[in-house]
Amino acid sequence: MEHYNMNLTLKVWRQKSSKEQGRFETYQVSDISSEMSFLEMIDVLNERLIKEGKDPIAFDHDCREGICGACSMYINGRPHGPWHANTTCQLHMRAYKDGDTIVVEPWRANSFPVIKDLVVDRTAFDRIVQAGGYISVNTGNAVDANAMLIEKDKADAAFAAAACIGCGACVAACKNSSAMLFLSAKVSHLALLPQGEPERKSRVLNMVQQMDKEGFGSCTFTEACEAVCPKEISVTNISRLNKEYIIAGLTEDK
Amino acid sequence: MKWSAFFTSSVGKKLVMAFTGLFLISFLIVHAGINACIWADLVDDSDNGEMFNKAAHFMGSSYVIRIMEIGLFIGILAHIVQGYMLELQNRARRKQGYQVAMGSKGSAWYRKSMGLLGTLILLFLIIHINNFWVPSRITYASTLGEVTYNNGAPIHDLYTRMLVVFSEPWEVILYIAACFSLAWHLLHGFQSSFRTIGVYNKKYVAMAKGAGVAFSIIISVVFALMPISIYFGWVNNN
Amino acid sequence: MLNSKIPAGQLDLKWTDYKGHCKLVNPANKRKLEVIIVGTGLAGASAAASLGELGYKVKAFCFQDSPRRAHSIAAQGGINAAKNYQNDGDSVFRLFYDTIKGGDYRAREANVHRLAEVSANIIDQCVAQGVPLAREYGGLLSNRSFGGTQVQRTFYAAGQTGQQLLIGAYQALERQVALGNVTMYTRHEMLDVVLIKDKDKAGNEVGEAKARGIVVRNLITGELERHFGHAVLLCSGGYGNVFYLSTNAMGSNVTAAWKAHRKGAYFGNPCYTQIHPTCIPVSGDHQSKLTLMSESLRNDGRIWVPKKQNDNRKPSEIPEEERDYYLERRYPAFGNLVPRDVASRAAKERCDAGYGVGSSKQAVYLDYANAIERYGKIECGKLGIDHPSAEVIRKHGLDVVKEKYGNLFDMYEKITGENPYEVPMRIYPAVHYTMGGLWVDYELMTTVPGLYALGEANFSDHGANRLGASALMQGLADGYFVIPYTIGNYLADEISTKAISLDHPEFVKSEKEVRDRIEKLMGIKGSQSVESFHKRLGKIMWDKCGMARNAQGLQEAITEIQQLKKEFWSDVRIPGGVGEMNPELDKANRVADFIELGELMCKDALNRRESCGGHFREESQTEEGEAKRDDSQFQYASAWEFKGESDWQLHKEELIFELAKPTQRNYK
């Protein structure tokens, strides 16, 4: 791969804290290598800001290999930038060319309030999991792992749903700020497995209730979430969630 | 779980949209079927709207159907009210919007514009109801003549009313525009309602999608052809 | 003196015996006992969940915004367990033996045996939690093989095993949060451990100071908080980021462990670092981290360099006879599947000798052309295609490789922009895991009473080199199955200890120390960024305490690090304020600790004048350039006691091998 250097104009959302008003700042960055990752480009800018005595841009990031789900930038109108099935940390600068202008915004949703600059609060996701995103089995209770046969197709489908990294791009992309892709991935993961059977009904009802309490919107199947999901979680899971919800809601006798 | 809770959660509200949507889809089939009677004239030159007028009369005279009509209005109303409430609630979930909109990245424009398309259809519906349903059921305005077939009792001549309405170019254009709105609304709404009510199996989702595309196009074209065929004189009153 | 508290008796009965005799805490008392857990990776999340289930009042802390993001999530390959589902001769003893041997006879037998014993329970537990491990068509669990073993005992979930296991533990943790047994503190970083002595009835202080709490910084508001606990568990992971570039997450740090070390916990085997052979090479100075390509790639890929030095031809232009498959050449018995330390050193040797590839010349090829052809032929055979053309073979081969390794290949392409199906991948070793950590006894307690270390944060199970798929096993073993027993043995004597007031002088003092240090850092207002110091530290460590070490280099490194430390404390620049979210300040706190740790690592490496596992001393090698262990002098675990700035005292824990008799490792 031929590499090249470029100069870019960055427009980045700066907000000192959740209480203060934010605004866009424009920065010129030069000599950015096409081999850098997007976050390394921000690192370069931050180093310069520190040298200039300014506050560097705060952003969430950790593993930088696309699995922890921490990074969360809305780049030129798309969560995680232009590449398909990708996280911000895995986006590389060869996606851009000399002279480009890049607008970077935080995830926007009432349920994801900005903490600082590009950092948002996603603890709502944890609370949704607390509402039932687990199988109630205490340590030490388990029977032999092979005592239960699980159809390979189902195990694979459960895995595909469980691949969710909880980054919140689905919410950021959705015009309704809906968390249904996230929620449905968890519900599907557990509903597809026999281990999840005993809590199947209460799980889906409680998790939907918690999601509503957190202030996420409804799903209108625009499929924008699937298009930006770094792990290619399918909206099929949302249909499965709805099925689980209907069955649980109609049959649970409470 | 209480029924009220079941239907008022974010999923429940969508279920209301989906069920009423599917109900309205079934109504569209009936509506298109009856209206298609105007084309009887194409095969039998002496029909002159007789089949259509009779069918329309049947729809207006049977108590069973009048009661179903009330159901239909409730369905439409629920679909509209719930639709607007959802739209408003969903929009309010993001108080601070984006500088650069996502646009059609990842999702076609019409899938994100159900509210707008629905509003266009609603505006059209008001005019449409005013054109046909109101004179026929409520005002019996002078514009609506009567006709008698085979020595029976006189019935409303809605056929002639159609010919009059669709001689106006602006009405024709309005109806065609409404059919476009309807097509796009259905293109998303048809398959989306099935998926909302929990059709997740790949096979059936593919079926719903295929049927949705076919249905949206066919039903809209059928409706659009009515004003067109009258305006251009393909069917007439001779 | 060091007391490892290994139970007496036969090796394979020690743990059973321990469990049968350790003290228990009754449920009513558990409710009154508070446990602090720092870190929510596999070890921390599993410990928090298990202790919460038992009824202890648990407070868990992590610096990430959610416990689900701990770096255990990035583990790719798998988790070992002595299930013997494949009927290929595996057993608890085999797993124990492989781990001891893989660790180059520098691990404690009793701990490793316990690890092998509970390994099977881990798989059961995880499956019960709904972890979607890979399965066969019959519905049973699937296994794959991994480096350094001859049986198939590795359970996996595609290339995301760590993620799936962590999500399982995270869900169990969140369940306890929902039940009110665990309180979760996210975006909090531990900055000190608080030690307090017990008081007798007369109010006089007695005995050794015990770990009774921590001081943390709320990373959103910048406030310092004090938290009390009857015991403190450090599950804060490894310290590979001391090298700046590593496969660790950007936030992975040694701070929690280091604070404990400065407060009296001995640091065990700090010099044992695992350098993983298959990582994506550095592309330039801007590089912020390195990405691992799973070890499983070596199952099918062949590693080579050109036979000619400084060969600038494209790989496709180098004919077969001009390629040097150096691992197959040097180690015919194990070939490309030699253990990690051996493979890494061999790559370094070739690159240092001028045979490296790519623009940096610091890389070797990992080639799949051969595997694609081999799988293609097998596939054509299965499909009954007679005399297939090379193209057809390649097409079918690509499909197989894509299914097995697709996600890894995609990742490679995203990072490098090269298509690994077409051109061989370039790989180079990178720092991956640290076998060293806080010294712990059999009960996972450090030398500070009531202070425990679990998972990668401790030193105990992997000796001088960790085998693939063993880290996940250890983290979960410690959290699910070891600590619930051993902590009871300690807390049983603490039931009468009332919660200590947060205004206790030791809490006040500890918080003041933390505050003073932060103010000192902020007050320097120098000219160099934290990052630049970290990079310089990393370079010193990589050059002089990396894959190969010698006395002269290590001595130089110590001097350079001391110099760097002075410069850091006089010229670092930290923007922003204290009472706000300030990632630069957090980083400065961490780097300051890394600098101190770096010095200790070099000291430990200098002391260990033998080669073993991940620690290769150039002075101690065979004539063929292989690592040479010196059991007569160095069959011990180092445990360093902090005495003062740049001042440590070495304690030695002699390692006794009853069952696994040390032999020189040979992979030829």
Side-chain angles (χ1 to χ4, degrees):
Chain A
M1 187 84 194
E2 282 305 304
H3 66 92
Y4 54 95
N5 283 359
M6 64 193 103
N7 299 329
L8 301 163
T9 305
L10 284 178
K11 285 176 77 179
V12 184
W13 181 260
R14 301 304 307 268
Q15 184 173 341
K16 212 147 169 40
S17 74
S18 55
K19 291 177 195 77
E20 279 163 79
Q21 286 285 321
R23 72 203 138 73
F24 282 95
E25 265 318 324
T26 305
Y27 304 97
Q28 305 294 332
V29 287
S30 45
D31 287 328
I32 297 299
S33 157
S34 60
E35 291 189 338
M36 282 184 191
S37 73
F38 194 84
L39 296 185
E40 283 164 355
M41 183 270 295
I42 303 274
D43 289 344
V44 169
L45 171 59
N46 273 348
E47 280 292 289
R48 196 187 83 202
L49 291 176
I50 293 167
K51 279 226 162 64
E52 292 169 356
K54 293 178 187 150
D55 212 15
I57 301 161
F59 59 99
D60 265 325
H61 65 115
D62 201 21
C63 78
R64 293 207 180 184
E65 47 188 285
I67 193 76
C68 76
C71 57
S72 49
M73 292 184 190
Y74 182 90
I75 304 164
N76 277 353
R78 201 174 186 279
H80 292 307
W83 287 357
H84 175 69
N86 197 50
T87 54
T88 302
C89 65
Q90 295 288 74
L91 174 63
H92 278 67
M93 294 311 290
R94 61 178 184 280
Y96 299 94
K97 54 185 194 308
D98 193 36
D100 278 355
T101 297
I102 306 174
V103 183
V104 189
E105 303 174 65
W107 284 175
R108 295 284 189 203
N110 301 351
S111 311
F112 286 169
V114 172
I115 294 174
K116 184 178 184 179
D117 297 343
L118 304 171
V119 178
V120 298
D121 180 354
R122 285 170 287 188
T123 47
F125 273 10
D126 288 333
R127 291 189 293 273
I128 292 176
V129 172
Q130 283 159 24
Y134 45 73
I135 287 166
S136 297
V137 48
N138 282 0
T139 307
N141 278 328
V143 294
D144 186 87
N146 261 350
M148 189 187 303
L149 298 180
I150 301 174
E151 222 177 297
K152 182 169 164 44
D153 287 347
K154 280 202 170 167
D156 288 351
F159 170 76
C164 168
I165 56 175
C167 64
C170 44
V171 176
C174 178
K175 76 177 183 68
N176 308 327
S177 306
S178 171
M180 284 284 274
L181 193 66
F182 167 79
L183 172 60
S184 68
K186 189 46 49 206
V187 168
S188 291
H189 162 210
L190 299 173
L192 280 161
L193 297 171
Q195 300 95 303
E197 192 60 37
E199 294 164 289
R200 193 166 174 174
K201 291 179 185 172
S202 59
R203 175 183 306 120
V204 62
L205 297 178
N206 292 339
M207 288 181 82
V208 167
Q209 194 185 24
Q210 185 63 33
M211 175 181 72
D212 291 352
K213 218 163 105 187
E214 298 291 346
F216 293 101
S218 293
C219 171
T220 55
F221 278 98
T222 68
E223 299 186 20
C225 52
E226 182 183 287
V228 302
C229 177
K231 298 296 155 188
E232 300 178 280
I233 308 282
S234 165
V235 288
T236 303
N237 290 308
I238 299 183
S239 303
R240 190 184 284 108
L241 163 76
N242 285 1
K243 185 203 84 177
E244 295 288 327
Y245 177 86
I246 294 170
I247 293 175
L250 295 182
T251 59
E252 210 199 28
D253 204 11
K254 269 184 203 161
Chain B
M1 186 176 212
K2 285 191 190 133
W3 288 112
S4 57
F6 180 73
F7 283 113
T8 52
S9 75
S10 59
V11 180
K13 286 176 193 160
K14 282 294 297 168
L15 289 176
V16 172
M17 289 307 284
F19 284 125
T20 51
L22 287 171
F23 173 59
L24 296 178
I25 281 171
S26 66
F27 161 71
L28 283 179
I29 299 170
V30 176
H31 189 351
I34 286 170
N35 282 31
C37 295
I38 63 163
W39 290 315
D41 194 52
L42 293 175
V43 280
D44 174 6
D45 209 32
S46 66
D47 182 78
N48 285 340
E50 182 181 339
M51 189 192 267
F52 170 70
N53 269 342
K54 279 182 174 168
H57 177 71
F58 169 75
M59 294 304 281
S61 59
S62 155
Y63 280 104
V64 177
I65 291 176
R66 291 307 292 266
I67 289 165
M68 278 172 70
E69 197 173 67
I70 294 169
L72 172 67
F73 273 97
I74 292 172
I76 292 179
L77 213 62
H79 197 75
I80 293 168
V81 172
Q82 184 72 284
Y84 276 118
M85 274 169 55
L86 265 173
E87 183 75 19
L88 290 176
Q89 283 165 357
N90 285 339
R91 278 170 188 254
R93 307 287 183 194
R94 181 173 289 134
K95 289 209 178 80
Q96 167 107 43
Y98 289 111
Q99 172 94 351
V100 184
M102 230 185 123
S104 55
K105 292 192 257 309
S107 174
W109 69 273
Y110 62 88
R111 321 193 74 166
K112 299 181 172 183
S113 311
M114 293 298 275
L116 171 70
L117 293 168
T119 303
L120 291 177
I121 295 169
L122 174 62
L123 291 175
F124 160 78
L125 262 186
I126 294 168
I127 296 170
H128 178 58
I129 288 174
N130 196 44
N131 275 345
F132 298 104
W133 189 85
V134 172
S136 163
R137 299 278 203 278
I138 301 171
T139 59
Y140 309 107
S142 54
T143 43
L144 194 63
E146 287 189 337
V147 64
T148 312
Y149 296 108
N150 309 333
N151 302 321
I155 58 174
H156 292 156
D157 187 5
L158 277 162
Y159 183 68
T160 307
R161 171 79 188 156
M162 274 177 91
L163 298 186
V164 173
V165 169
F166 296 139
S167 63
E168 287 283 350
W170 71 267
E171 288 269 14
V172 176
I173 291 168
L174 176 82
Y175 271 70
I176 293 172
C179 287
F180 272 102
S181 301
L182 181 67
W184 274 311
H185 197 76
L186 286 174
L187 211 50
H188 177 70
F190 188 95
Q191 48 104 2
S192 171
S193 13
F194 280 101
R195 295 160 90 183
T196 297
I197 60 172
V199 176
Y200 68 88
N201 194 304
K202 265 188 208 136
K203 273 195 294 208
Y204 297 115
V205 169
M207 242 155 102
K209 281 185 176 172
V213 173
F215 180 79
S216 320
I217 294 172
I218 292 169
I219 208 87
S220 309
V221 167
V222 167
F223 277 126
L225 276 176
M226 289 167 194
I228 290 173
S229 55
I230 290 173
Y231 184 76
F232 288 106
W234 301 342
V235 292
N236 52 34
N237 201 7
N238 51 18
Chain C
M1 252 336 282
L2 284 175
N3 177 7
S4 50
K5 294 195 224 156
I6 298 168
Q10 208 179 306
L11 186 62
D12 55 353
L13 293 176
K14 284 182 197 291
W15 181 233
T16 314
D17 199 46
Y18 178 90
K19 285 193 289 184
H21 294 93
C22 65
K23 290 176 215 160
L24 300 174
V25 182
N26 89 36
N29 284 327
K30 282 194 185 113
R31 286 196 286 273
K32 294 184 218 149
L33 292 168
E34 299 180 48
V35 179
I36 285 174
I37 297 178
V38 181
T40 55
L42 286 179
S46 59
S50 302
L51 297 181
E53 287 159 12
L54 287 174
Y56 293 109
K57 270 165 78 177
V58 178
K59 287 182 181 178
F61 296 82
C62 69
F63 69 79
Q64 297 91 344
D65 70 326
S66 164
R68 67 179 294 152
R69 308 207 198 284
H71 200 52
S72 304
I73 203 147
Q76 299 171 351
I79 176 167
N80 286 333
K83 277 283 195 189
N84 193 28
Y85 282 158
Q86 304 306 323
N87 193 30
D88 56 0
D90 199 10
S91 63
V92 167
F93 180 79
R94 293 252 184 208
L95 175 53
F96 154 77
Y97 184 80
D98 286 344
T99 308
I100 287 280
K101 181 186 171 200
D104 218 355
Y105 301 95
R106 289 295 174 265
R108 193 188 284 152
E109 266 196 336
N111 285 51
V112 176
H113 200 279
R114 175 178 65 191
L115 176 67
E117 284 173 58
V118 301
S119 66
N121 303 83
I122 297 171
I123 301 302
D124 299 340
Q125 180 64 24
C126 292
V127 167
Q129 284 171 345
V131 173
L133 294 172
R135 286 178 186 269
E136 305 290 353
Y137 281 100
L140 297 167
L141 289 162
S142 172
N143 290 114
R144 60 163 63 140
S145 52
F146 241 72
T149 63
Q150 288 165 308
V151 292
Q152 290 198 321
R153 65 160 75 99
T154 305
F155 295 80
Y156 63 99
Q160 284 136 270
T161 317
Q163 182 203 20
Q164 293 308 317
L165 295 172
L166 182 63
I167 296 296
Y170 157 77
Q171 288 173 185
L173 166 66
E174 292 295 359
R175 173 172 161 246
Q176 292 307 309
V177 173
L179 293 172
N181 297 327
V182 176
T183 313
M184 188 65 226
Y185 297 83
T186 58
R187 293 196 198 265
H188 278 68
E189 181 143 88
M190 177 189 134
L191 291 178
D192 204 9
V193 55
V194 180
L195 308 188
I196 298 175
K197 284 187 176 172
D198 283 347
K199 281 184 179 165
D200 62 14
K201 287 198 180 95
N204 300 316
E205 290 187 337
V206 288
E208 262 186 282
K210 294 173 174 173
R212 290 302 191 193
I214 57 174
V215 173
V216 293
R217 180 167 190 268
N218 178 327
L219 301 185
I220 297 178
T221 63
E223 282 163 41
L224 296 180
E225 299 168 8
R226 308 168 196 171
H227 292 275
F228 164 79
H230 288 88
V232 176
L233 273 53
L234 301 184
C235 312
S236 49
Y239 49 84
N241 269 348
V242 69
F243 291 88
Y244 184 71
L245 286 181
S246 80
T247 64
N248 284 8
M250 301 303 287
S252 301
N253 67 79
V254 76
T255 291
W258 195 253
K259 300 302 181 194
H261 174 58
R262 288 182 64 106
K263 283 282 178 90
Y266 294 1
F267 213 102
N269 297 331
C271 80
Y272 290 160
T273 314
Q274 176 158 84
I275 317 271
H276 197 290
T278 51
C279 298
I280 300 175
V282 177
S283 69
D285 287 340
H286 52 78
Q287 192 100 20
S288 60
K289 83 151 262 155
L290 296 169
T291 303
L292 173 82
M293 302 289 289
S294 170
E295 174 164 316
S296 59
L297 286 172
R298 283 197 285 143
N299 278 328
D300 285 316
R302 294 180 75 193
I303 293 172
W304 63 276
V305 291
K307 278 186 179 162
K308 224 168 65 186
Q309 273 174 326
N310 299 314
D311 195 334
N312 285 322
R313 287 178 292 176
K314 284 185 186 154
S316 57
E317 292 165 358
I318 302 174
E320 193 61 32
E321 60 275 12
E322 289 178 42
R323 300 176 176 191
D324 176 15
Y325 295 91
Y326 59 88
L327 285 177
E328 296 167 31
R329 170 171 59 79
R330 281 178 70 175
Y331 309 101
F334 277 68
N336 292 300
L337 277 175
V338 289
R340 292 174 175 180
D341 51 340
V342 178
S344 293
R345 275 198 299 277
K348 177 179 156 59
E349 187 275 330
R350 282 290 85 185
C351 293
D352 288 353
Y355 297 93
V357 301
S359 50
S360 66
K361 297 286 168 204
Q362 291 291 303
V364 300
Y365 288 128
L366 174 62
D367 201 333
Y368 262 72
N370 204 283
I372 290 170
E373 197 188 324
R374 180 162 51 84
Y375 280 122
K377 280 183 182 157
I378 295 173
E379 235 14 52
C380 287
K382 278 192 209 164
L383 296 168
I385 304 172
D386 289 330
H387 310 296
S389 66
E391 229 169 278
V392 172
I393 293 176
R394 188 173 157 73
K395 190 193 153 290
H396 287 290
L398 279 176
D399 288 345
V400 176
V401 169
K402 205 167 270 183
E403 203 205 313
K404 285 183 97 155
Y405 306 106
N407 61 337
L408 297 169
F409 278 41
D410 290 348
M411 188 165 73
Y412 182 85
E413 186 169 3
K414 269 179 198 157
I415 293 172
T416 63
E418 291 175 354
N419 180 353
Y421 295 104
E422 301 294 334
V423 292
M425 285 180 266
R426 287 172 295 112
I427 54 158
Y428 197 68
V431 175
H432 181 50
Y433 185 90
T434 49
M435 282 72 70
L438 292 175
W439 183 92
V440 291
D441 60 24
Y442 188 72
E443 299 183 306
L444 304 183
M445 199 195 282
T446 65
T447 48
V448 174
L451 181 66
Y452 293 80
L454 281 67
E456 192 180 348
N458 75 28
F459 89 117
S460 70
D461 294 356
H462 306 297
N465 175 52
R466 180 176 66 74
L467 286 181
S470 282
L472 303 183
M473 172 172 69
Q474 186 223 341
L476 290 179
D478 287 358
Y480 283 134
F481 296 108
V482 178
I483 199 71
Y485 292 93
T486 61
I487 203 170
N489 202 34
Y490 172 75
L491 290 176
D493 295 332
E494 299 291 331
I495 51 173
S496 54
T497 308
K498 296 275 178 302
I500 297 171
S501 158
L502 297 177
D503 295 325
H504 188 284
E506 285 300 325
F507 269 109
V508 176
K509 191 178 130 212
S510 192
E511 188 188 307
K512 186 174 179 307
E513 280 168 13
V514 171
R515 192 179 304 280
D516 288 349
R517 177 165 131 135
I518 288 175
E519 270 163 19
K520 192 174 167 196
L521 279 168
M522 294 300 291
I524 298 168
K525 300 193 191 309
S527 63
Q528 303 177 62
S529 69
V530 179
E531 200 77 0
S532 65
F533 281 105
H534 197 179
K535 276 188 185 175
R536 281 164 66 192
L537 172 68
K539 183 154 172 43
I540 299 171
M541 294 301 292
W542 180 245
D543 288 346
K544 294 175 174 162
C545 195
M547 266 187 284
R549 299 136 181 210
N550 60 54
Q552 193 199 339
L554 289 165
Q555 269 149 355
E556 285 167 11
I558 291 171
T559 322
E560 286 170 35
I561 293 169
Q562 285 170 348
Q563 188 53 43
L564 188 73
K565 185 174 166 185
K566 261 190 218 133
E567 209 179 316
F568 178 88
W569 283 98
S570 59
D571 197 31
V572 72
R573 165 182 283 192
I574 305 164
V578 177
E580 60 183 39
M581 178 178 242
N582 189 344
E584 282 299 309
L585 172 59
D586 304 332
K587 206 154 66 178
N589 261 319
R590 295 168 189 169
V591 171
D593 295 332
F594 274 134
I595 293 175
E596 295 178 15
L597 165 76
E599 186 179 345
L600 178 62
M601 286 171 72
C602 293
K603 252 191 130 98
D604 186 42
L606 187 62
N607 167 68
R608 194 168 282 279
R609 296 180 310 281
E610 64 160 353
S611 295
C612 61
H615 168 69
F616 185 74
R617 277 291 292 265
E618 287 168 358
E619 299 93 328
S620 179
Q621 51 181 312
T622 65
E623 281 167 13
E624 296 147 310
E626 301 298 336
K628 200 166 107 192
R629 225 175 45 228
D630 183 355
D631 290 336
S632 63
Q633 286 193 72
F634 296 100
Q635 192 167 303
Y636 62 80
S638 325
W640 296 87
E641 181 186 1
F642 181 81
K643 288 286 191 188
E645 300 305 319
S646 296
D647 183 14
W648 286 274
Q649 187 188 338
L650 173 64
H651 301 268
K652 297 174 181 176
E653 181 198 346
E654 293 301 329
L655 296 170
I656 299 148
F657 294 96
E658 293 172 23
L659 260 73
K661 292 292 173 210
T663 54
Q664 197 71 31
R665 290 193 306 165
N666 180 8
Y667 296 96
K668 288 204 181 271

